[in-house]
Amino acid sequence: MTTPDPPPPGPASAGPATSAGPATSATPASPAPPSLTRSPFDSDTFTSATFVTVGQGPVLALAAVWLVTRLGMLALLATDSLGIGGVGQEVQLLYRHWYGLFADGTFPPSDPTWQYPPGAGLVIMAPGLLTSWLDYTQAFVVLTLVADAAITLGLALADRSRLTHGAWYWVCALPLLLHLPLARYDVMATALAVLALLLFKLRSPAGHRLGGALAGLGAMVKVWPALALIGTPRGRTTREAWTAAAVTAVTLLCVLALCFSDSLGFLRRQGARGIQVESLGGTALALARSAGLWPGTAEIRYGAYEYVGPYVSTLGHLFLLLTVAAVLWLVLWRLRASRWSEATPLDAALAAVLLLTVTSRVISPQYMIWLLGLAAVCLTSRRTVMRPVALLLLPAAALSALAYPVLYADVVLGTTPGLTVMVLRNGLLLAAAALAAHCLWRATVGPVEE
C-alpha cells in the first residue's frame, strides 16, 4: 500500500520548532491536488468572460465559413453557366411568372408546372416585399440566404455550451449542391422543418405548439415538413404539436382559398406525373434502355425530364405502392416504438423523408436540401443514431450536383458518365434510407443492447 505524500512544510519548518505546540498545528492546510478528470468549467478561475473568450473562436469560424461558401454560391449563380446552365431560370422566369398571377388573385390556372400546395404561394409572393429596392430574382435570393442563415443560427444555438456538428454539417454540406439551393424555394421549407424540430427539443408546451405550427405551415408550403411530427413522443407532446399543426394548416388553407381562386388545383395534376429521369425508377429504365431492353425516351413533362414509353405507367404504380408500404412501415414503427429520447423526433423525421424520397417517382436535385437539413438537426443531439446516414448523404449531395447541372445532358441521354453518376447517387440514397430505418427501429423498438 502506498502512503500519501507528506504535506509541504510550513513557513516555520525552516527553523527550529517553537514551544507553541506541535508543528502541524502551525502549518496551514494545503490545497487538495487538482483532479485530472474535472471539467475546466468547474475551476474557480473560470468566469463568464472566459467562456466568451473561448466561445468566440468557433462562432467566428462558423460565420466566416458560411460567408465564404455563400459568396462562392452567389458567384456561381451570377455566371450560371456550369454544365447545362440556366439553374436560375426557374426563379427568373417561372417564379416571377407565378408572382404575376398571384398579384391578380389566382393560383396558376391549368399550369402543369404548378405542383405545389397552396402555402407555396406565400413563398413565391414574399420577394414582392423587397421589390422596391431589388428586382424579383435578387429579392428571392436574399430571402433564401436569410432562411439559410436562420437554419445555421438555430443549429448553432441548439447546444450553447459548444458548437455541435450540426451547424458545421449544414454550412459545409449545402455548397456541395453548388448554386442550386439559391434558385429553389426548398431552403425556406427546410428552415420551417428544422426550426420545428429544434423547438421540439425544448420540452416545453410553448415550444411544442410553436414547433407544431411551423410544421403545419411547412406542410402547406411543401408537404414533407409535416413528417417532422412523426417522431414526437406519445401523450401531451404529440397532442400539443399535432393540434397546433392541424390548426395552422387548416387556417392557412381557408385564408388562401378565400383570397385566391384555384388554390387546390395542384391536386388534379399529381396523378399524371411519370417517372423522372433522376428517380430510382428512372435509373432502372435508363439501365434497361442502355442494355437494349427498353425502347423508351425522355421528354420534358411537368417542368422536368420524364421517361415515356412502355411499362412506364406500370412502374409508376409500383412506386406508388412502395410509397404506401413506406407509410405503413412508419405507422407500424410509431405503434411499436417504446423508447424515446431527445433524438427520436429528429431521427424519425430524417428516416421518414428518406423512405418517401427513394420510393417517389420524382427525385428532383433540390430534394437533397431537405435531407441535408434534417441530417444536420440530428447531429445536434449526442444521442442520435443517424451519424452514418448523415455521412452517406454527403457524397450523395456531391453526386447530385454532378448530375445536375454539370452532367445533366448525359443523365438525360443515358450516356455512361450519366448512368454512372445516377447509379452511385441513387445507390447511396437507397443505402441511407435502409440504414436509417434499421437504426431507428433498433434504437426505439428492438431489444435493449447491453
Side-chain angles (χ1 to χ4, degrees):
M1 181 177 65
T2 59
T3 58
D5 294 334
S13 63
T18 64
S19 60
T24 54
S25 63
T27 303
S30 60
S35 171
L36 296 180
T37 60
R38 290 177 64 193
S39 166
F41 297 96
D42 296 331
S43 170
D44 293 336
T45 61
F46 183 84
T47 65
S48 58
T50 307
F51 178 78
V52 171
T53 303
V54 173
Q56 283 178 345
V59 172
L60 292 177
L62 183 70
V65 173
W66 184 90
L67 181 61
V68 170
T69 53
R70 274 47 181 183
L71 287 175
M73 294 167 69
L74 284 170
L76 289 174
L77 184 62
T79 56
D80 204 9
S81 59
L82 196 61
I84 64 168
V87 172
Q89 288 185 358
E90 183 150 332
V91 178
Q92 297 167 1
L93 302 178
L94 193 58
Y95 288 8
R96 183 182 290 177
H97 167 66
W98 289 339
Y99 174 76
L101 294 176
F102 287 127
D104 293 334
T106 181
F107 279 79
S110 304
D111 187 344
T113 60
W114 178 256
Q115 299 286 329
Y116 312 111
L122 298 177
V123 180
I124 302 301
M125 289 185 282
L129 300 173
L130 304 178
T131 51
S132 298
W133 306 277
L134 304 168
D135 66 30
Y136 182 85
T137 301
Q138 293 171 338
F140 182 88
V141 172
V142 167
L143 293 179
T144 301
L145 289 171
V146 170
D148 176 17
I151 294 173
T152 304
L153 181 61
L155 293 170
L157 291 176
D159 185 352
R160 291 181 176 85
S161 64
R162 65 179 179 87
L163 288 177
T164 60
H165 299 299
W168 281 104
Y169 183 93
W170 170 258
V171 168
C172 297
L174 193 65
L176 294 175
L177 297 172
L178 304 177
H179 51 302
L180 175 74
L182 300 181
R184 300 294 186 273
Y185 81 85
D186 295 81
V187 174
M188 290 81 152
T190 302
L192 294 172
V194 166
L195 296 177
L197 289 169
L198 292 176
L199 285 168
F200 292 153
K201 291 180 63 179
L202 297 180
R203 297 182 180 179
S204 69
H208 299 158
R209 295 188 187 100
L210 182 55
L214 289 178
L217 177 59
M220 287 292 97
V221 170
K222 198 72 174 183
V223 178
W224 72 266
L227 294 173
L229 302 166
I230 191 68
T232 53
R234 298 191 189 99
R236 181 178 179 179
T237 300
T238 290
R239 290 194 299 271
E240 291 170 345
W242 290 28
T243 300
V247 170
T248 301
V250 171
T251 302
L252 180 60
L253 183 61
C254 292
V255 170
L256 291 174
L258 289 174
C259 297
F260 299 90
S261 62
D262 203 27
S263 58
L264 297 179
F266 78 103
L267 292 174
R268 297 190 298 269
R269 305 173 193 119
Q270 290 294 321
R273 294 299 299 266
I275 301 293
Q276 191 185 29
V277 297
E278 295 154 279
S279 66
L280 269 71
T283 300
L285 290 175
L287 289 171
R289 185 174 65 173
S290 67
L293 302 176
W294 183 69
T297 59
E299 297 180 0
I300 294 182
R301 301 173 72 243
Y302 301 97
Y305 275 98
E306 295 183 353
Y307 282 118
V308 177
Y311 311 116
V312 171
S313 179
T314 301
L315 189 61
H317 290 134
L318 174 61
F319 271 84
L320 284 176
L321 290 176
L322 291 175
T323 299
V324 172
V327 172
L328 292 176
W329 184 91
L330 290 169
V331 172
L332 177 64
W333 165 79
R334 183 161 178 91
L335 293 174
R336 293 284 306 278
S338 58
R339 298 189 300 277
W340 255 266
S341 71
E342 70 160 19
T344 302
L346 321 179
D347 295 344
L350 177 57
V353 175
L354 265 170
L355 288 171
L356 295 186
T357 296
V358 298
T359 59
S360 175
R361 296 170 295 172
V362 177
I363 303 182
S364 298
Q366 57 265 29
Y367 288 16
M368 292 303 304
I369 301 172
W370 318 346
L371 299 174
L372 294 177
L374 294 176
V377 178
C378 291
L379 294 179
T380 63
S381 174
R382 297 171 185 174
R383 302 189 65 180
T384 183
V385 295
M386 293 295 162
R387 289 187 181 88
V389 177
L391 290 176
L392 285 176
L393 292 176
L394 294 176
L399 288 167
S400 295
L402 195 58
Y404 181 86
V406 180
L407 295 177
Y408 197 58
D410 293 278
V411 171
V412 174
L413 294 174
T415 65
T416 298
L419 274 175
T420 301
V421 168
M422 292 314 306
V423 168
L424 291 174
R425 197 286 300 270
N426 286 340
L428 285 170
L429 287 182
L430 186 59
L435 182 59
H438 171 72
C439 291
L440 180 66
W441 187 275
R442 185 180 62 181
T444 58
V445 179
V448 179
E449 297 182 359
E450 297 183 358

